């Protein structure tokens, strides 16, 4: 029977209860602990069951002598009854009657069991027989009492019947559900013997199936249990209680879930149940799998326990970045690099895919490759290699379109992820901005439970103590600066110095880039290594030393450490940004130079071609054979896109190198020196001046953010950048984990991680925006090179969209698109968006105001409540005193006061109780 | 896989997963952590629910708890006997509540219990003083301690009974920006 196979658990549990009433009773004992409502139900069940049994029992005795089909029906009822009793008699277990019942139960059971044994042989035979032998003597003894008992039960039942009709219905439900289950089981048993009979029997059972309301009730109960199971882990109970509740509710659900499907949709329901179960299991497995897939969990945990949550937050951020870069890498690799490498024309087939003759000799040199020249330049790694063929390979893969869309897609995806993460962070940190619980928060949330290292713990203790002292000082008097003018002057001076630094570094970079262009024009071979790598080195060195300078300058300002940190971060941010933008402006200059160059070369090429044509034409005379020119010999333009890509790759590589080298020198060598020179030095190196370095969370995060900005900027022109970045992040994860564990000491000033999280995210967003700006600018305004890259020959890069629209989509589509993109439609649309933004902003503002208002209201209400409670407490006390005088009326006033309290606030109830 | 099966039955593992915020792997890892504390006491077979308790001295010596000023309270709150001796169930329970996945309300409830040193369901002044002294290693003067405690009660006590009830505590802690990030132990 398909139905049976769908509800296997029902059968199993029933079988259990059938074969061993003891077990059933055990279960019912456990059931006692269930909620009261359910218990009540059960009581009623017992009473109704008794009546049923009165009829059935006789049948049980005569069982062997009756016709087969009748026998079967009755047996079913018996089993139901047996089940019911096994479950429900827990209340009067001590009673004598109870023992009689069980005896009877065993007897009726025996009938079935003996049959089963005869029919099916072994299976559960042993167990049943054991029970049987136990029950046999009892049964014989008690048989005489059965009639008396029946009468008793009848009377009882009639008494209760009228008052408890509703509950009775419930019990019926259960009985019948049980019946149905039995029926399905039974039919399975005998279905070889007589199918007609079985159908007959089913028809008999069906009519007395559940009414819809009862079904609903049961369904609700089951749903409730399910919900309970779901939310169990969030309950503040001890594990024992949780396990117990879990087991009970699971049993409940299992027992009645199958019974629920009595009505028409039974099969569907059973199917649904099974599927939800499977789905849950799958979800759980998937969850397990997912957590197993998160890398570096243990590493981060270790760092967390050594350095607290703030250092760990950097590594979590790093991991998050890694994830994003993995996806960016997957996009570019899967949709751009691999298709071009597999399906595009092979290397050497056309000029843009070949190393030119002049460079061929040095193309494989490591220095050249390291500089992204030679074979590296003419490979899928850079923009210039890609062909402008519209569709490539047997897949007819639209290469230029894919290139463009991936470029746009990576940026769009990054925006989406960053903004979504920001929103989630904002949700989590939520309303934490008001200062009304300053001391309480300090008291209850300042200890970082993650800390598992004595040194960190010491630092934490110290920082907590100082923070408390500071707060106390602030509380006692809002600190007055004794020399306001001096500090003001110093702060202005500091900012001036910082501005000078920024301007100087900007100029230096501009100068260096221009100089490098001059060198490039001269030819790189004539220059030293330093002159060739000047730009990157200068940028990296500036990034390394300027922050230190800022740190020194910021000591002038005498800010609170947290404010000082923010200033410091802001300045480093400005420095990096300034450097990056000067670099870009210099690049723009270079692009313009290259484009001039390109014009000349374009002209030269036409000349060259015509020369070639004329020359060959004159040689060959009449027969014009196809001229074969090696693609390496064809003159070509300077391809500014590849140049930009190369610059970015070089920048990333040198940046990575400096990071690693600083790590090694600044942290490792320093740590080694401090550790070993300490034995023979005149002062204590470990405690004194050089000491071990701290892990600089903010600096590292900033470095990471800027690195990412460069990736976003350059990824369009060098598809290999995300791959490079993935590699870099992977290595730095291990390297930094090692470095931090081996040569850093925990921070002395521990800042809170959670609040700065969104600060970093905001910086990332700003960087993302600023880095997409120049990329978009170049894509939109500068025409692509004429002889390299997927967009060669087009006027603008985004023309590829229009081309696709025209040739790949039906004509009406492009028409619609053209209509949609005309200014008459776009302008109103933009207007609409602006309006929407304005509207949303104003609503959010008003919400914020409402929030503030509500907060105020809450506060005043709290104060009012405080007053009220005071009064109430006083009143209650008075009442109580009065009440104590009049001893007989003692409970009354107390009740009054309690009621009053209940009206005002439930909290006060407790206080009064304790007062009394 | 083989030895996994012998420690817990699948049902047990499922039940534990229903009752805690852990995955199967984490539960097993926690079990091994638990067992490593006293390999001679803890059997490798938990299918028959052996009654094993580890004394507080062992629990408190875990690196995760060792440096925590509230370790004794944590152990007491989560142990069934209230004295810090933990069964495996208590152990799992503890780290489940302290895990990252546990919701704020649950954490707040247990945090309240932890800071309620005398188990009277209120955080009163003596509890606050104890907390503060543990946090600062007795480095604040008496006056300072008194002042801070007064401030705390002044801020968070809504019903003005001079001590913090669970409601007061939850009301206060729900707004705390750092509570979730600091009140968890990764294991």
């Amino acid at each position: 029977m398909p139905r049976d196979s769908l509800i296997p658990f029902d059968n199993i549990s029933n079988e259990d209860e059938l074969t061993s009433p003891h077990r059933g009773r055990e279960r019912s004992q456990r059931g006692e602990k269930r909620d009261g409502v359910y218990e009540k139900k059960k009581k009623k069940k017992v009473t109704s069951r008794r009546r049923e049994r009165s009829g059935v029992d006789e049948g049980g005795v005569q069982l062997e002598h009756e016709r087969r089909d009748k026998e079967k029906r009755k047996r079913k009822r018996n089993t139901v009854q047996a089940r019911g009793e096994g479950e429900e008699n827990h209340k009067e277990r001590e009673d004598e009657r109870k023992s009689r019942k069980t005896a009877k139960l065993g007897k009726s059971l025996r009938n079935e069991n003996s049959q089963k044994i005869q029919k099916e042989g072994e299976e559960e035979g042993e167990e049943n027989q054991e029970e049987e032998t136990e029950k046999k003597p009892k049964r014989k003894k008690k048989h005489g009492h059965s009639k008396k008992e029946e009468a008793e039960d009848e009377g009882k039942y009639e008494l209760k019947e009228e008052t408890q009709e509703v509950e009775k219905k419930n019990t019926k439900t259960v009985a019948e559900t049980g019946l149905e289950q039995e029926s399905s089981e039974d039919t399975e048993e005998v279905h070889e013997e007589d199918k007609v009979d079985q159908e007959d029997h089913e028809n008999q059972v069906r009519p007395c199936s559940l009414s819809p309301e009862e079904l609903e009730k049961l369904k609700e109960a089951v749903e409730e249990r399910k919900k309970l199971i779901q939310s169990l882990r969030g309950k503040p109970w001890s594990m024992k209680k949780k396990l117990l509740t879990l087991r009970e509710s699971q049993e409940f659900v299992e027992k009645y879930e199958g019974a629920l499907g009595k009505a028409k949709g039974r099969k569907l329901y059973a199917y649904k149940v099974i599927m939800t179960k499977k789905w849950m299991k799958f979800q759980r497995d998937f969850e397990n799998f997912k957590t197993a897939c998160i890398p570096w969990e243990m590493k981060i945990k270790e760092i967390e326990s050594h350095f607290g949550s703030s250092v760990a937050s950097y590594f979590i951020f790093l991991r998050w970045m890694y994830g994003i870069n993995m996806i960016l890498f997957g996009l570019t690799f899967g949709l751009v690099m691999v298709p071009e490498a597999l399906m595009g024309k092979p290397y050497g087939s056309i000029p843009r895919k070949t190393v030119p003759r002049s460079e061929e000799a040095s193309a494989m040199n490591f220095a050249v490759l390291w500089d992204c020249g030679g074979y590296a330049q003419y490979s899928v790694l850079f923009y210039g290699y890609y062909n402008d063929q519209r569709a490539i390979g047997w897949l007819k893969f639209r290469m230029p379109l894919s290139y463009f869309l991936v470029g746009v897609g990576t940026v769009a995806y990054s925006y989406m992820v960053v903004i979504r993460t920001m929103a989630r962070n904002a949700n989590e940190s939520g309303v934490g901005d008001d200062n009304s619980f300053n001391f309480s928060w300090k008291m209850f949330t300042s200890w970082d439970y993650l800390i598992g290292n004595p040194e960190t713990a010491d630092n934490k203790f110290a920082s907590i103590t100082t923070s408390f002292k500071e707060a106390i000082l602030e509380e006692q008097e809002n600190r007055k600066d004794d020399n306001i003018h001096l500090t003001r002057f110093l702060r202005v001076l500091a900012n001036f110095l910082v501005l000078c630094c920024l301007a100087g570094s900007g100029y230096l970079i501009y100068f260096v880039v221009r100089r490098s262009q001059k060198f490039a024009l001269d030819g790189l071979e004539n220059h030293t290594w330093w002159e060739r790598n000047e730009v990157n080195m200068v940028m990296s060195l500036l990034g390394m030393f300027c922050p230190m300078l800022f740190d020194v300058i910021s000591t002038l300002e005498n800010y609170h450490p947290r404010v000082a940190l923010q200033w410091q971060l802001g300045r480093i941010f400005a420095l990096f940004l300034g450097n990056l933008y000067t670099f870009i402006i210099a690049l723009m200059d270079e692009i313009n130079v290259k484009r001039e160059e390109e014009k000349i070369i374009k002209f030269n090429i036409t000349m060259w071609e015509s020369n070639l044509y004329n020359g060959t034409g004159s040689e060959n005379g009449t027969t014009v054979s196809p001229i074969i020119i090696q693609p390496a010999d064809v003159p070509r333009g300077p391809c500014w896109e590849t140049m930009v890509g190369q610059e970015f790759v070089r920048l990333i590589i040198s940046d990575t190198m400096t990071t690693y080298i600083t790590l090694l020198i600044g942290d490792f060598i320093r740590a080694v020196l401090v550790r070993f020179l300490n034995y023979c030095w005149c002062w204590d190196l470990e405690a004194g001046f050089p000491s071990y370095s701290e892990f600089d969370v903010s600096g590292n995060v900033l470095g990471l953010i800027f690195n990412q900005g460069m990736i976003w900027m350059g990824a369009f022109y060098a598809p290999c950048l995300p791959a490079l970045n993935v590699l870099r992040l992977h290595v730095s994860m291990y390297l930094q984990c090692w470095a931090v564990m081996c040569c850093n000491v925990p921070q002395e000033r521990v800042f809170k991680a959670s609040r700065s999280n969104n600060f970093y995210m905001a910086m990332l967003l700003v960087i993302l925006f600023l880095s997409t700006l120049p990329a978009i600018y170049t894509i939109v305004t500068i025409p692509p090179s004429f002889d390299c890259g997927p967009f060669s020959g087009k006027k603008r890069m985004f023309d590829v969209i229009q081309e696709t629209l025209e040739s790949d989509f039906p004509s009406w589509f492009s028409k619609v698109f053209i209509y949609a993109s005309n200014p008459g439609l776009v302008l109103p649309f933009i207007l609409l968006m602006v309006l929407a933004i304005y509207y949303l902003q104003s609503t959010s503002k008003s919400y914020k105001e409402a929030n503030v208002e509500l907060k105020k209201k809450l506060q005043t209400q709290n104060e009012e409540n405080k007053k009220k409670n005071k009064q109430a407490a006083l009143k209650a006390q008075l009442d109580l005193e009065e009440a104590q005088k009049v001893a007989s009326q003692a409970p009354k006033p107390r009740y009054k006061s309690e009621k009053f309290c209940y009206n005002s606030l439930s909290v006060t109830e407790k206080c009064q109780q304790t007062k009394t | 896989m083989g030895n996994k099966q012998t420690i817990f039955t699948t049902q047990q593992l499922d039940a534990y997963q229903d009752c805690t915020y852990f995955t199967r792997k984490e539960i097993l890892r926690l079990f091994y952590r638990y067992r490593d504390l006293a390999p001679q006491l803890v059997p490798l077979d938990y299918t028959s629910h052996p009654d094993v308790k580890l004394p507080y001295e062992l629990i408190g010596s875990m690196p995760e708890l060792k440096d925590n000023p509230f370790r004794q309270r944590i152990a007491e709150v989560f142990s069934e006997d209230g004295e810090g001796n933990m069964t495996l169930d208590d152990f799992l329970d503890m780290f489940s509540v302290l895990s990252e996945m546990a919701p704020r309300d649950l954490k707040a409830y247990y945090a309240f219990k932890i800071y309620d040193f005398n188990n009277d369901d209120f955080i009163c002044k003596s509890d606050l003083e104890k907390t503060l002294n543990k946090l600062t290693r007795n480095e604040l003067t008496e006056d300072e301690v008194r002042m801070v405690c007064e401030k705390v009660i002044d801020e968070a006590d809504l019903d003005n009974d001079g001590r913090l009830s669970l409601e007061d505590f939850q009301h206060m802690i729900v707004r705390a920006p750092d509570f979730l990030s600091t009140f968890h132990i990764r294991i």
Side-chain angles (χ1 to χ4, degrees), chain A residues 170-182:
Chain A
N170 262 344
T171 60
K172 232 177 159 181
T173 324
V174 178
E176 277 154 10
T177 51
L179 232 142
E180 278 267 327
Q181 282 157 20
E182 293 318 316

Side-chain angles (χ1 to χ4, degrees), chain A residues 718-781:
Chain A
C720 63
L721 269 184
L724 206 65
N725 202 29
V726 166
L727 199 70
R728 176 215 160 115
L729 292 179
H730 198 100
V731 174
S732 48
M733 187 82 199
Y734 284 97
L735 201 64
Q736 286 194 308
C737 273
W738 164 78
V740 91
M741 291 304 283
C742 130
C743 37
N744 283 7
V745 287
Q747 286 167 306
E748 263 175 65
R749 307 182 309 202
V750 185
F751 289 103
K752 282 163 186 164
S754 70
R755 214 172 286 178
S756 46
N757 246 348
N758 244 0
F759 184 58
Y760 293 140
M761 280 293 163
M763 280 204 281
L764 194 65
L765 191 68
V766 169
I767 281 292
L768 177 56
F769 177 71
L770 290 178
S771 61
T772 45
L773 264 192
I776 289 176
Y777 174 77
T778 50
I779 288 173
V780 173
T781 57

Side-chain angles (χ1 to χ4, degrees), chain A residues 6-40:
Chain A
L6 275 175
I7 334 171
F9 44 87
D10 279 337
N11 286 342
I12 291 163
S13 65
N14 289 335
E15 201 106 286
D16 255 18
E17 276 161 275
L18 272 177
T19 48
S20 58
H22 285 304
R23 241 184 273 164
R25 219 190 301 159
E26 261 174 40
R27 218 177 262 186
S28 71
Q29 281 170 25
R30 261 187 261 127
E32 271 178 335
K33 283 172 195 166
R34 285 184 208 166
D35 36 318
V37 187
Y38 183 48
E39 229 164 87
K40 257 191 210 163

Side-chain angles (χ1 to χ4, degrees), chain A residues 128-371:
Chain A
N128 293 339
Q129 245 163 350
E130 267 178 36
E131 268 165 38
E132 251 179 282
T133 45
E134 267 178 36
K135 294 274 158 73
K136 244 180 192 170
K138 255 189 185 176
R139 181 172 56 95
K140 275 175 186 166
K141 242 200 248 165
K142 296 285 152 79
H143 185 59
H145 295 276
S146 63
K147 281 217 167 167
K148 231 193 208 169
E149 193 192 89
E150 275 162 36
E152 253 180 54
D153 290 345
E154 286 272 349
K156 255 192 189 174
Y157 175 72
E158 267 165 19
L159 263 175
K160 285 182 182 175
E161 189 179 33
E162 278 161 16
T163 49
Q164 298 158 347
E165 253 179 8
V166 187
E167 280 95 343
K168 195 187 71 195
K169 258 188 197 167
N170 262 344
T171 60
K172 232 177 159 181
T173 324
V174 178
E176 277 154 10
T177 51
L179 232 142
E180 278 267 327
Q181 282 157 20
E182 293 318 316
S183 74
S184 58
E185 185 197 333
D186 266 16
T187 42
E188 197 185 32
E189 247 174 59
V190 280
H191 85 285
E192 317 128 25
E193 291 176 290
D194 40 7
K195 276 173 189 170
V196 189
D197 212 273
Q198 167 210 327
E199 267 171 37
D200 203 330
H201 144 78
E202 282 230 342
N203 285 340
Q204 273 197 331
V205 175
R206 272 286 150 93
C208 53
S209 63
L210 305 169
S211 76
E213 307 97 69
E214 290 157 354
L215 207 76
E216 276 310 304
K217 246 183 212 168
L218 206 58
K219 225 173 208 169
E220 253 169 47
V222 167
E223 287 304 315
E224 219 167 82
R225 292 284 164 149
K226 272 184 182 169
K227 236 178 249 167
L228 183 69
I229 292 176
Q230 292 265 307
S231 63
L232 200 59
R233 55 179 73 171
K235 291 268 191 303
W237 300 338
S238 75
M239 184 66 98
K240 234 184 203 169
K241 195 174 168 194
K242 277 196 270 190
L243 283 175
L244 205 72
T245 333
L246 176 73
R247 205 164 45 218
E248 276 163 10
S249 11
Q250 269 174 349
E251 267 164 25
F252 181 87
V253 169
E254 274 184 21
K255 208 185 293 164
Y256 296 118
E257 205 159 47
L260 271 178
K262 284 296 89 77
K264 279 176 193 169
R266 171 186 174 133
K267 262 185 194 174
L268 190 72
Y269 186 82
Y271 182 71
K272 249 197 219 153
V273 169
I274 299 285
M275 281 329 277
T276 41
K277 269 200 167 175
K278 287 244 166 83
W279 173 238
M280 293 274 285
K281 190 165 167 10
F282 171 75
Q283 261 181 328
R284 176 167 287 171
D285 285 349
F286 186 68
E287 207 69 13
N288 285 348
F289 174 72
K290 230 167 49 183
T291 44
C293 279
I294 294 174
W296 302 309
E297 195 69 28
M298 292 311 287
K299 261 188 162 39
I300 290 176
K301 192 243 132 194
E302 204 181 340
I303 288 168
E304 231 168 21
S305 70
H306 268 84
F307 293 92
S309 52
S310 71
V311 173
S313 77
Y314 165 72
F315 285 95
I316 291 171
F317 187 65
L318 179 62
R319 189 173 64 182
W320 184 79
M321 277 306 209
Y322 185 77
I324 286 187
N325 276 290
M326 272 308 242
I327 288 173
L328 296 189
F329 166 67
L331 274 177
T332 44
F333 192 71
L335 292 176
V336 173
M337 289 165 85
V338 167
E340 178 70 21
L342 290 182
M343 298 189 286
K345 285 187 177 164
Y347 172 82
S349 55
I350 46 175
R352 73 183 64 176
K353 295 194 175 191
T354 327
V355 178
R357 190 70 74 193
S358 56
E359 293 172 24
E360 231 165 36
S362 62
M364 210 46 204
N365 291 357
F366 180 72
V368 175
L369 284 180
W370 184 252
D371 210 29

